[in-house]
Every structure is written in C-alpha cells, then in structure tokens.
Amino acid sequence: MRHYYRKDWQKFRDEVIELDGGVCRRCGRGPLQGAILQVHHKTYLPGKMPWEYPYGYCETLCRGCHASEHGIVRPFQGWVCVGDDDLGDLSGECDLCGTQIRYVFFVQHEKWPAMEVGEICCDHLTQTSEASDYMDSKRRYALRESRFISSSRWKRNQDGLLSLMQKGQHISLEKVSENFRLTVNQVTGKKFFKSEEECKRYIFKIIENGTLEAFFRKFQAK
C-alpha cells in the first residue's frame, strides 16, 4: 500500500479518472454526488508498479463500488437469479431486507455468498424485472384459474353431476365413492381426484398448456 502515496501513483490515478470522465464506471456518480473516486486494477500484472499499467487495465470506481468489487461489501451488480421456490406460506425471510416471504428467489454472485431473497430484492440485485415478471405471470394464472373454477358455464344436472362444454367437447365430473373422475364425451378417465375443484384445476392446467386437443384425442382413444 505504501506505493499508493507516491507522486507517480497520484499522477496516474488522476489521469485514469480524467479519462473516465470523472465519474464511477459502475454507478455513474462523481464528487458532485458525494462519491469518493478510486482507481481499480481490473487485473494484476506481476512485476508492474500500480502506475505502470496500461490505462485499459484500470477503471474509475467510487469507494463503495470498489469495495464491492473486492468482496469487502455486498456487490451492487452482477447478481444472477438461479431458481425459485414456493414455501406455501410466509415462513421464509429475505436475506437482504428481512421481510417475511413465501416465494423465494435464489441469487448468486461470484464474489459473495448465495442469498435467498424476495421478489423486489431479486429485481434490485439482478437489475432486471425477472422476478416481478415471473410473479405477475403466476398471479395472472391464479386469477384465470379462479375464474375457470367458479365459471357459470359449469352446470349441475339433476344427479348432481357438474359439466361444461369446452372446445365443443362435453366434460363432466363423475363422483365415485369419495373421489371424482373426469368424463369426456361419455368416455371416463382412470385418474381419480379428491374433489371437484382438483378436477377443475387439472382441466384448467391442460387448457393453459395448450394441450387440450391432444388431451381430448387421448380420451377418445380409450
């Protein structure tokens, strides 16, 4: 560190900062925004003094971004979402903000331990809308599913059997003992469900996946 007090380094440092426009290359802040600027060596060249590097091997960073680059504080950029999980209830806790969460997103960084965070913090760390887009998709799916389950198109006949017409096909829910089975155009399937709602969710999933026609063909072949 003693080399960084030499005039050669001070001169080189000032030149790098000037070439970078006097602002941090990561966050864009400069002295006018309260940032303390430093020069970061992107890679180290054996036998070279700090001021003997080509300019391209160095970049201007504020003190915070410089610390995160060296793993001293949590990095602000470079996080990647690698997965997610539904805990079923608010039993999780975001590693970043401490909020209770149900939906967990797993984020990784090459210079920091992996974290489990919520939707908003995942977007903040990855600087994307990946988590919020995913959750919006889940919310839209849940809303469409709810509408399908409670749709007035479901009719109950005198025997208490629920049915509806979908894509020109007659679908009904047949009760067998304490369970239910699907019947399509008078062809009964072998799969059992615990409730009418479970049957409806199964049908809706097929509709959403765009495989309804294939499902009907398979039923007709039985």
Side-chain angles (χ1 to χ4, degrees), residues 79-121:
W79 289 89
V80 177
C81 180
V82 296
D84 61 86
D85 190 20
D86 179 0
L87 302 179
D89 54 31
L90 294 174
S91 58
E93 181 177 307
C94 177
D95 288 339
L96 188 60
C97 69
T99 301
Q100 287 184 310
I101 52 177
R102 169 178 171 173
Y103 295 98
V104 177
F105 294 88
F106 305 101
V107 292
Q108 291 183 345
H109 195 285
E110 61 179 3
K111 297 180 181 178
W112 201 259
M115 296 198 296
E116 300 180 6
V117 297
E119 169 190 350
I120 296 174
C121 288

Side-chain angles (χ1 to χ4, degrees), residues 24 29 34-38 61-68 73 76:
C24 174
R29 297 186 307 134
I36 298 175
L37 298 179
Q38 300 175 339
L61 299 178
C62 70
R63 184 160 59 184
C65 289
H66 198 187
S68 70
V73 299
F76 303 108

Side-chain angles (χ1 to χ4, degrees), residues 126-185:
T126 62
Q127 297 183 319
T128 70
S129 59
E130 181 178 350
S132 56
D133 288 346
Y134 173 77
M135 291 305 301
D136 283 344
S137 176
K138 287 185 69 70
R139 284 187 279 266
R140 288 194 298 270
Y141 180 95
L143 181 59
R144 291 193 301 272
E145 182 185 59
S146 176
R147 288 171 176 166
F148 178 79
I149 290 173
S150 60
S151 173
S152 60
R153 294 192 301 114
W154 288 100
K155 306 296 182 181
R156 195 178 296 275
N157 64 16
Q158 294 179 346
D159 297 326
L161 198 70
L162 267 182
S163 64
L164 90 165
M165 294 296 295
Q166 186 76 30
K167 296 277 188 178
Q169 310 293 326
H170 184 265
I171 303 173
S172 60
L173 313 183
E174 177 189 7
K175 187 171 183 179
V176 181
S177 185
E178 297 299 319
N179 297 310
F180 295 84
R181 287 191 300 185
L182 283 170
T183 297
V184 179
N185 296 334

Side-chain angles (χ1 to χ4, degrees), residues 20-60:
D20 284 336
V23 296
C24 174
R25 293 282 298 274
R26 303 294 172 82
C27 68
R29 297 186 307 134
L32 293 178
Q33 292 77 39
I36 298 175
L37 298 179
Q38 300 175 339
V39 169
H40 168 60
H41 293 84
K42 292 184 284 187
T43 188
Y44 288 96
L45 303 177
K48 291 281 189 181
M49 299 299 285
W51 54 87
E52 294 177 340
Y53 281 60
Y55 292 124
Y57 280 73
C58 301
E59 63 180 341
T60 301

